Amino acid sequence: MLSEKMNEALNVQLNKEIYSAYLYMSMSAYSSYIGLDGFANWFMIQYQEEMTHAMKIYDYINDHGNQVKLMKIPQPPTTFDSALDMFEKTLEHEKFVTNSINELVDLAIEEKDHATYTFLQWYVSEQIEEESNDNEILSKLKLMGNDGSGMYMLNKELSQRVFVPEYTSKALSGSQNQTDNKSQ
Ligand code: FEO
């Protein structure tokens, strides 16, 4: 059983993960609109990843016999200045999520909630990876500036990204095949 405070904090984090998914879906839509299909692919996979982050928390709350309480999802921005702008906003958002995860870890320590502390370590590692990926793409974008061929190449590179599910929700039937690669 999770404390009421921890349950609420996890529900808020669940909302942030769904907002993240929504934000990246919006970036994917905008990328498609301006003809950057590789970027659209990258952001749509990011959307899928964020939904797995959300569902992992969803299942964790359920597993403890607590209630998942869905909240209103804020509207994400719908237009962006450029591909660079999208990745600057992506990195900025991921830093916000990292802070949020760190605060959750602090709460788990404060409450001596060892199970939640352990559960959150997956997110701590995930955030390092997310920020690193964003920084890498951001560096390339800054390096190429207004070079059209660089953008063409990067768009092609981002089109290669594929979704590798790291987690399948227990709430789905057939969850016996649940994958949680990172914890194995
Ligand atoms: Fe789930 Fe990108 O934070």
Side-chain angles (χ1 to χ4, degrees):
M1 191 80 181
L2 300 164
S3 74
E4 209 170 298
K5 199 173 172 185
M6 183 56 81
N7 187 41
E8 196 185 320
L10 286 168
N11 270 293
V12 169
Q13 187 61 37
L14 170 57
N15 181 269
K16 286 177 184 168
E17 299 292 349
I18 295 176
Y19 174 76
S20 303
Y22 214 33
L23 174 64
Y24 299 136
M25 190 189 227
S26 185
M27 289 182 179
S28 180
Y30 188 74
S31 300
S32 291
Y33 176 63
I34 60 172
L36 290 174
D37 290 350
F39 282 74
N41 174 66
W42 194 94
F43 281 118
M44 194 56 90
I45 285 166
Q46 198 57 33
Y47 152 81
Q48 289 177 294
E49 285 209 352
E50 296 298 349
M51 286 308 295
T52 66
H53 300 175
M55 291 313 296
K56 216 169 149 71
I57 297 173
Y58 180 102
D59 286 345
Y60 184 77
I61 294 171
N62 268 340
D63 282 349
H64 280 78
N66 287 59
Q67 189 187 356
V68 170
K69 291 178 184 166
L70 298 178
M71 297 168 214
K72 188 173 178 176
I73 305 162
Q75 184 185 12
T78 53
T79 55
F80 304 89
D81 294 339
S82 59
L84 178 67
D85 181 43
M86 284 192 283
F87 270 95
E88 280 174 343
K89 288 191 165 73
T90 295
L91 181 60
E92 187 186 330
H93 181 68
E94 287 307 324
K95 286 181 176 172
F96 162 76
V97 174
T98 300
N99 281 336
S100 178
I101 295 290
N102 288 342
E103 283 171 13
L104 272 176
V105 173
D106 289 344
L107 180 62
I109 292 169
E110 190 186 306
E111 294 206 343
K112 296 185 170 57
D113 182 344
H114 295 252
T116 303
Y117 176 85
T118 302
F119 170 71
L120 291 170
Q121 296 314 301
W122 184 90
Y123 288 86
V124 171
S125 304
E126 182 66 17
Q127 284 309 118
I128 297 170
E129 195 182 312
E130 298 241 316
E131 285 192 31
S132 164
N133 291 342
D134 298 339
N135 268 316
E136 196 183 315
I137 297 168
L138 207 44
S139 299
K140 287 180 182 172
L141 282 165
K142 283 178 180 167
L143 204 65
M144 73 177 63
N146 291 325
D147 175 22
S149 59
M151 182 59 90
Y152 175 81
M153 293 302 290
L154 183 59
N155 188 52
K156 203 169 173 180
E157 182 188 322
L158 298 185
S159 73
Q160 306 299 312
R161 187 182 188 194
V162 290
F163 179 55
V164 181
E166 290 170 354
Y167 184 78
T168 304
S169 174
K170 292 177 183 176
L172 292 166
S173 53
S175 62
Q176 297 88 333
N177 297 325
Q178 179 177 325
T179 52
D180 190 353
N181 303 335
K182 282 201 171 174
S183 66
Q184 283 169 3

